[in-house]
């Protein structure tokens, strides 16, 4: 049996009996004891089999799974995007386990929250699941992952709007240490990405440490004990190190529109899609022209009696080079893994080659803007509509979007582009800032997320009882995008100035995870209970980021984007290459930190400077 850490499991051949038929299958199974109900839960995947497709077409069915190690009743069904069927059962698994041998492992995991852990991770999206895997790889097993939702996936669980997909190629928008050889398309849709993250969560050791429906409601640094007290909806837990992996796209941002409360129709944000409301034949207002809006608009235009798009600023929209990945490619990636790594490297290199035009020479983006204009001109023949949809700022100043059907949808007779924002609601009329009135039955806000104010900052208190929100004062700052002075042993995944305008955020996440693991290891080697970020080191880092931000297209391109906060600073993006970020986060420089158990933050910087002198 393979090494499944505290989890038991089996991988290999098995026999499945379902619907009075018998199938020889390949399975990957895992299991764990759940203290909440006092029973053993096991689950896994059955390899794709066309014969099973016929039997399970009607949905989940009850059957029996038999391996060389045992037999058990099982529920089978729920195919994933790659044709594999989920199989699961409760009690007496069909494989050898401590449950059947009455020899429990040292740590059972799962169930009730432990009283204390070495590391607590908040969030089970890319950042949180990746953190769990990297902690296990580093031999750090005393940790939990706290997830507010009922399943993993983060923003890819929450965003279920029609047309939801990624604008980064599939092979690059996945972990380098967890490749998926069976992506169906070059740009994956939301269900497939979510299924990928569920598959990642099935890696050995993660599920038993994952606590779903466990929203963290606050975190307080206890100076005397040098640990974090984390409160959740299911109780409290103490942790030596806290990793905040909630992500930047977790809290929807909805504008305060006068009269909205009295609107008689459906109102919802794209990240909280109301699937109970049928929008067919309705007059629909879509507010926003960002990455979500350009995917929602084509889907709604096909079913709406009238679609009204409130557009404060038009976007640069490039063609989306999406295609199906062939069966031959999938076979090659699965059986000759280096070929997928080469494909990933090629995509990465092509994206990374554009960084210079974003951060140093925005004029180089003129050629790309001509492609975007041609993309629009092919679909939009009306000069007036073209004028509305043509940006007046340098490409790249706002996020560059990808779509083949956005412009064609807006060119249809049932679509209306209002070249201004939504000012107020009067009854069922949506009033634009230009004064025009539009009668609508439903309003969809595609207005993005709280990316520059991080709502969780109001619920985290550091040294001296100061909240993170108070310390930041509306202007997020962190050392290497990861740690913050005054908040010992707190590490962010996708923290301030870690976002990208040209490449995959998964690359940044992996860089930060390596840094965080080294942070923990450095802390252990030092013998200190905690590290606090040196204020001078943080200031020097942020000053350098600000200096490098100066010539970027985001600062000089002539637009006002969601990258900027109220102070007029860009705390969102990284003004450089991903290679530079990886070099800067390859390992921890202990000189940038103060042992918080020895020195107070007020004397730390002075002492550190004196030591260096």
């Amino acid at each position: 049996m393979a090494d499944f850490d505290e989890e038991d499991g089996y991988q290999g051949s098995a026999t499945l009996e379902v619907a009075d038929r018998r199938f020889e299958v390949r399975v990957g199974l895992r299991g764990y004891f759940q203290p909440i109900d006092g029973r053993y839960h096991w689950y896994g995947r059955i390899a794709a089999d066309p014969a099973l497709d016929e039997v399970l077409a009607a949905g989940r069915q009850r059957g029996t799974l038999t391996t060389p190690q045992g037999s058990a009743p099982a529920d089978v069904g729920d195919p994933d995007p790659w044709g594999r069927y989920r199989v699961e059962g409760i009690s007496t698994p069909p494989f050898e386990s401590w449950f059947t041998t009455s020899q429990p492992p040292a740590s059972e995991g799962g169930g009730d929250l432990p009283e204390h852990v070495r590391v607590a991770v908040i969030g089970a999206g890319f950042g949180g699941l990746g953190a769990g895997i990297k902690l296990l790889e580093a031999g750090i097993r005393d940790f939990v992952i706290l997830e507010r939702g009922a399943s993993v996936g983060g923003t890819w669980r929450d965003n279920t709007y029609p047309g939801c997909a990624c604008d980064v190629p599939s092979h690059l928008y996945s972990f380098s240490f967890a490749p998926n050889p069976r992506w169906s398309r070059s740009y994956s849709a939301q269900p497939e990405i979510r299924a990928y993250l569920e598959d990642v969560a099935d890696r050995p050791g993660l599920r038993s440490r994952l606590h779903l429906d466990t929203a963290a409601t606050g975190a307080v640094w206890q100076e005397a004990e040098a640990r974090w007290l984390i409160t959740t909806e299911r109780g409290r837990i103490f942790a030596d190190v806290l990793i905040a992996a909630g992500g930047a796209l977790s809290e929807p941002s909805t504008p305060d529109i006068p009269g909205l409360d009295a609107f008689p129709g459906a109102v919802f944000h794209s990240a909280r899609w109301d699937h109970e409301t049928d929008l067919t034949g309705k007059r629909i207002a879509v507010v926003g022209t960002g990455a979500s809006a350009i995917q929602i608009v084509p889907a709604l235009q096909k079913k709406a009696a009238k679609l009204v798009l409130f557009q404060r600023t038009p976007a640069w929209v490039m063609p989306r080079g999406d295609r199906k990945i062939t069966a031959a490619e999938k076979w090659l990636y699965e059986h000759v893994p280096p070929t997928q790594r080469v494909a990933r490297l090629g995509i990465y290199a092509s994206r990374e080659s554009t960084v210079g035009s974003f951060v140093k020479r925005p004029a180089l983006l003129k050629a790309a803007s001509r492609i975007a204009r041609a993309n629009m001109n092919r679909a939009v023949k009306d000069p007036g509509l073209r004028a509305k949809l043509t940006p007046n700022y340098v490409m790249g100043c706002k996020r560059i979007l990808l779509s083949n059907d956005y412009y064609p949808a807006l060119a249809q007779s049932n679509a209306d582009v209002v070249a201004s924002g939504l000012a107020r609601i009067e009854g069922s009329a949506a009033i634009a800032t230009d004064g025009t009135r539009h009668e609508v039955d439903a309003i969809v806000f595609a207005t993005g997320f709280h990316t520059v104010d991080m709502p969780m900052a109001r619920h985290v208190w550091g040294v001296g009882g100061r909240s993170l929100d108070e310390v930041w004062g509306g202007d997020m700052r962190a050392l290497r995008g990861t740690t913050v002075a005054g908040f010992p042993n707190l590490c962010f995944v996708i923290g301030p100035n870690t976002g990208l305008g040209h490449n995959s955020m998964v690359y940044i996440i992996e860089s930060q995870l390596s840094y965080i693991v080294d942070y923990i290891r450095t802390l252990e080697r030092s013998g200190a209970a905690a590290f606090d970020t040196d204020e001078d080191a943080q200031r020097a880092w942020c000053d350098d980021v600000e200096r490098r931000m100066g010539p970027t297209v985001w600062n000089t391109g002539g637009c006002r984007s969601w990258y900027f906060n109220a102070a007029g600073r860009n705390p969102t993006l990284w003004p450089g290459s991903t290679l530079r970020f990886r070099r800067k986060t390859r390992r921890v420089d202990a000189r940038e930190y103060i042992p918080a158990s020895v020195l107070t933050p007020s004397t730390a910087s002075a002492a550190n400077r004196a030591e260096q002198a």
Side-chain angles (χ1 to χ4, degrees):
M1 183 173 70
D3 179 12
F4 283 87
D5 190 41
E6 288 88 356
E7 292 183 340
D8 300 313
Y10 169 80
Q11 292 177 317
S13 59
T15 300
L16 174 67
E17 296 179 75
V18 62
D20 297 325
R21 294 181 60 180
R22 183 184 178 94
F23 302 90
E24 299 299 322
V25 296
R26 296 285 299 178
V27 297
L29 306 174
R30 297 189 180 107
Y32 60 92
F33 180 72
Q34 177 63 273
I36 290 179
D37 61 13
R39 306 169 78 182
Y40 191 92
H41 295 245
W42 60 273
Y43 60 95
R45 296 287 184 185
I46 298 176
D49 186 335
L52 277 177
D53 295 342
E54 302 174 11
V55 174
L56 299 175
R60 292 174 65 87
Q61 295 198 39
R62 189 75 167 167
T64 301
L65 186 70
T66 303
T67 76
Q69 299 177 359
S71 180
D75 290 318
V76 189
D78 301 331
D80 65 17
W82 310 288
R84 302 174 302 178
Y85 285 94
R86 185 172 180 85
V87 58
E88 57 190 351
I90 298 177
S91 296
T92 315
F95 48 79
E96 295 175 359
S97 71
W98 71 263
F99 186 79
T100 56
T101 60
S102 299
Q103 296 179 352
S107 174
E108 295 172 348
D112 296 333
L113 289 175
E115 181 179 349
H116 178 274
V117 291
R118 179 64 172 149
V119 183
V121 182
I122 296 178
F126 267 99
L129 294 177
I133 292 172
K134 286 302 177 182
L135 289 172
L136 287 172
E137 288 181 354
I140 302 170
R141 288 174 162 74
D142 184 18
F143 71 89
V144 293
I145 302 175
L146 309 177
E147 169 53 50
R148 67 182 181 182
S151 61
V152 304
T155 192
W156 295 106
R157 174 200 62 227
D158 297 339
N159 284 266
T160 59
Y161 60 81
C164 184
C166 189
D167 57 6
V168 176
S170 306
H171 294 309
L172 195 56
Y173 199 76
S174 48
F175 290 120
S176 63
F177 50 80
N180 172 26
R182 300 190 64 81
W183 290 117
S184 66
R185 304 193 67 86
S186 53
Y187 288 88
S188 298
Q190 175 265 337
E192 195 166 6
I193 297 173
R194 181 179 179 182
Y196 167 77
L197 290 172
E198 287 282 0
D199 197 48
V200 168
D202 284 343
R203 291 170 74 92
L206 277 190
R207 290 283 182 186
S208 60
R209 295 173 171 85
L210 180 61
H211 295 265
L212 301 174
D213 293 316
T214 309
T217 56
V220 179
W221 175 248
Q222 298 188 311
E223 296 181 57
E225 295 83 4
R227 65 185 183 182
W228 285 97
L229 167 59
I230 305 159
T231 55
T232 79
E233 293 179 346
R234 291 182 52 213
R236 70 179 192 175
I237 182 173
F238 296 99
D240 299 331
V241 178
L242 176 59
I243 300 176
L249 306 181
S250 57
E251 295 295 334
S253 175
T254 302
D256 185 12
I257 304 295
L260 186 62
D261 291 345
F263 180 71
V267 178
F268 49 88
H269 190 279
S270 60
R272 302 291 184 266
W273 197 267
D274 181 2
H275 291 279
E276 299 300 317
T277 297
D278 184 5
L279 297 177
T280 303
K282 304 292 186 182
R283 298 167 299 178
I284 309 168
V286 175
V287 183
T289 53
S292 298
I294 70 161
Q295 296 177 346
I296 292 170
V297 164
L300 293 186
Q301 178 272 321
K302 295 176 183 177
K303 63 172 59 178
K306 184 73 173 180
L307 184 139
V308 182
L309 176 66
F310 287 87
Q311 170 195 269
R312 286 193 305 179
T313 309
W316 286 105
V317 183
M318 296 283 282
R320 182 182 179 88
D322 189 24
R323 66 172 181 85
K324 282 187 175 182
I325 296 177
T326 67
E329 289 174 292
K330 295 176 186 177
W331 184 94
L332 197 62
Y333 296 149
E334 185 169 3
H335 294 88
V336 190
T339 59
Q340 188 175 21
R341 290 195 290 271
V342 170
R344 177 187 174 94
L345 179 60
I347 297 169
Y348 168 80
S350 66
R351 292 239 164 182
E352 194 66 11
S353 66
T354 67
V355 68
S357 58
F358 284 87
V359 302
K360 290 184 178 180
R361 295 178 291 277
L364 296 176
L365 289 163
K366 288 183 178 179
S369 66
R370 286 193 289 269
I371 298 174
R373 287 180 185 273
N375 183 40
M376 178 179 64
N377 293 341
R378 279 193 296 269
V380 180
K381 305 305 180 183
D382 176 40
L385 182 56
R386 280 186 184 179
K388 289 181 180 180
L389 297 175
T390 302
N392 61 358
Y393 56 87
V394 178
M395 173 180 268
C397 184
K398 294 171 73 74
R399 184 174 175 180
I400 300 173
L401 308 179
L402 304 178
S403 179
N404 296 330
D405 50 9
Y406 178 66
Y407 288 138
L410 293 179
Q412 301 304 308
S413 59
N414 68 332
D416 183 14
V417 177
V418 180
S420 63
L422 177 61
R424 65 186 187 279
I425 301 296
E426 294 180 358
S428 60
I431 315 299
T433 53
D434 64 6
T436 58
R437 298 173 61 90
H438 306 270
E439 293 290 332
V440 294
D441 305 308
I443 302 174
V444 176
F445 286 99
T447 46
F449 301 84
H450 287 277
T451 55
V452 296
D453 53 356
M454 199 177 291
M456 72 160 287
R458 297 190 295 271
H459 307 288
V460 178
W461 292 269
V463 173
R466 298 183 69 194
S467 74
L468 185 58
D469 187 57
E470 177 187 357
V471 169
W472 274 342
D475 192 10
M476 301 187 303
R477 294 173 184 267
L479 172 63
R480 303 183 189 274
T482 309
T483 61
V484 180
F487 295 82
N489 289 14
L490 171 64
C491 299
F492 283 96
V493 181
I494 313 182
N497 289 115
T498 59
L500 294 176
H502 72 287
N503 216 320
S504 172
M505 278 305 301
V506 179
Y507 191 93
I508 292 290
I509 289 172
E510 290 191 28
S511 299
Q512 283 195 281
L513 294 179
S514 295
Y515 185 82
I516 291 170
V517 168
D518 193 49
Y519 176 97
I520 297 172
R521 286 293 181 233
T522 305
L523 179 63
E524 292 172 346
R525 290 193 298 268
S526 75
F531 275 167
D532 195 2
T533 304
D534 180 81
E535 292 181 0
D536 288 343
Q538 178 176 301
R539 186 179 302 110
W541 171 265
C542 293
D543 287 348
D544 183 63
V545 168
E546 192 70 9
R547 179 181 62 81
R548 292 179 176 276
M549 192 70 73
T552 66
V553 69
W554 311 303
N555 275 27
T556 64
C559 76
R560 180 68 177 175
S561 71
W562 57 265
Y563 301 142
F564 288 79
N565 58 23
R569 200 179 71 85
N570 184 338
T572 308
L573 297 177
W574 168 245
S577 70
T578 59
L579 289 174
R580 178 180 176 83
F581 187 84
R582 178 152 294 189
R583 287 197 303 270
K584 293 294 185 179
T585 54
R586 188 171 300 279
R587 58 182 56 87
V588 166
D589 183 349
R591 296 172 298 179
E592 295 181 332
Y593 294 94
I594 303 297
S597 57
V598 178
L599 300 176
T600 63
S602 60
T603 61
S605 295
N608 199 25
R609 290 194 299 272
E611 180 182 349
Q612 293 176 6

